[in-house]
Amino acid sequence: QGRFTLLRDTRTDGSFLVHHFLSFYLRAGCKVCFLALLQSFSHYNIVAQKLGVSLAAAKERGQLVFLEGLKSCLDLVFGEEEQQGQPSPLQFLSGSTSDLRALFDFVRVSLTPSDGDSWKGPVLLVDDLSVLLSLGAAPVAVLDFIHYCRVSVCYQLKGNIVVLVHSNEDSEDEENELIVNSLCHHSDLILWAEGLATGFCKDVHGQIKIIKRLSLRQAAEQDLVQIYQYKIQDRNVTFFARGLSAAVL
């Protein structure tokens, strides 16, 4: 409880981690607010069904609150949400405001427990945070949004936050790298998926660096770092130590 997990990917697609956490928390009986800024609901639902979870059923029973970023952007551009009298969580796109207060209010209202709720704990899942920068949000506004979400979800509601960001160490996108570096400093756990430096391999799709931020809790402690390689299969992911893949053995 109260943990902030950062999913970071470099030279590869780390979305398999998002699908894992989404299905994991739904099966655990947690209330989940999913800010899906990258793909459509049908995409996530198809992958979740392979993992044995129905997002449509989770929405119907009130366990999953799903913000479909692509649809919300179109509705905002064409004014459909204003006609329905519903303010958009992505109001900053209209230029009327530069902060992400509406998006935070959406998260806070979605995860604040009501009298009849029996869910185990609130979870905020974001895929992916880099999209907000691409849509025109300022880095300071994005960091403020994450800060207030941590205060509300992690500290007040004793829940968890999982955020995916893309990064490229050779990138000239200074704003995105600022976001990534800042989040790394404040994360309790970092799962960093990286593509292989040697290029494509059918038996090894990448490596994942697991960084447990022990120094965040105790100043004298050193962070615990573990590195594994992985292969993504149709319904699961296989992890193994470096040099122990089928290609080598």
Side-chain angles (χ1 to χ4, degrees):
Q1 292 182 339
R3 296 302 177 102
F4 182 91
T5 301
L6 179 67
L7 311 179
R8 179 178 179 181
D9 61 19
T10 304
R11 302 188 310 274
T12 190
D13 183 8
S15 59
F16 70 94
L17 295 169
V18 174
H19 297 299
H20 160 73
F21 278 101
L22 178 59
S23 60
F24 170 78
Y25 281 120
L26 289 177
R27 277 198 297 263
C30 298
K31 177 69 174 287
V32 179
C33 176
F34 187 17
L35 305 184
L37 305 174
L38 196 61
Q39 301 283 357
S40 65
F41 175 79
S42 60
H43 169 82
Y44 294 104
N45 192 37
I46 290 171
V47 178
Q49 285 177 343
K50 290 184 177 181
L51 301 176
V53 176
S54 173
L55 299 191
K59 281 183 67 177
E60 287 180 9
R61 61 177 178 261
Q63 184 184 8
L64 174 65
V65 179
F66 191 94
L67 173 65
E68 191 168 357
L70 297 174
K71 183 177 183 299
S72 295
C73 289
L74 289 175
D75 289 344
L76 190 64
V77 169
F78 293 108
E80 293 183 14
E81 293 199 4
E82 282 73 7
Q83 293 174 6
Q84 299 170 2
Q86 298 175 347
S88 170
L90 303 178
Q91 281 182 351
F92 72 95
L93 283 173
S94 64
S96 58
T97 178
S98 59
D99 57 43
L100 300 175
R101 183 174 300 176
L103 188 59
F104 167 71
D105 287 339
F106 174 82
V107 172
R108 180 178 53 80
V109 171
S110 300
L111 292 180
T112 299
S114 58
D115 295 336
D117 279 352
S118 59
W119 309 116
K120 291 185 178 179
V123 176
L124 171 62
L125 185 59
V126 183
D127 181 24
D128 72 81
L129 200 66
S130 305
V131 173
L132 292 176
L133 292 175
S134 302
L135 292 174
V140 173
V142 175
L143 291 176
D144 283 347
F145 166 70
I146 291 296
H147 171 72
Y148 282 109
C149 285
R150 288 187 67 199
V151 171
S152 178
V153 178
C154 294
Y155 297 110
Q156 294 178 354
L157 300 176
K158 304 301 180 185
N160 297 309
I161 297 179
V162 181
V163 173
L164 172 69
V165 290
H166 297 298
S167 70
N168 189 346
E169 293 162 336
D170 301 327
S171 173
E172 296 182 359
D173 189 347
E174 296 179 357
E175 292 185 345
N176 188 73
E177 294 309 302
L178 173 66
I179 296 290
V180 173
N181 292 332
S182 177
L183 293 182
C184 284
H185 285 299
H186 294 93
S187 302
D188 297 287
L189 175 67
I190 303 173
L191 303 180
W192 188 354
E194 299 177 280
L196 296 176
T198 53
F200 173 78
C201 175
K202 68 175 183 178
D203 293 306
V204 184
H205 291 158
Q207 76 172 18
I208 185 166
K209 186 182 297 182
I210 304 172
I211 307 173
K212 296 180 181 177
R213 300 290 316 287
L214 303 180
S215 61
L216 196 66
R217 302 285 175 174
Q218 296 178 328
E221 291 289 335
Q222 292 236 341
D223 293 343
L224 179 61
V225 180
Q226 298 170 294
I227 299 178
Y228 297 95
Q229 292 180 334
Y230 64 86
K231 179 181 180 180
I232 301 176
Q233 297 166 323
D234 191 39
R235 296 178 186 272
N236 61 7
V237 182
T238 304
F239 295 92
F240 39 83
R242 288 182 290 183
L244 296 182
S245 68
V248 177
L249 300 178

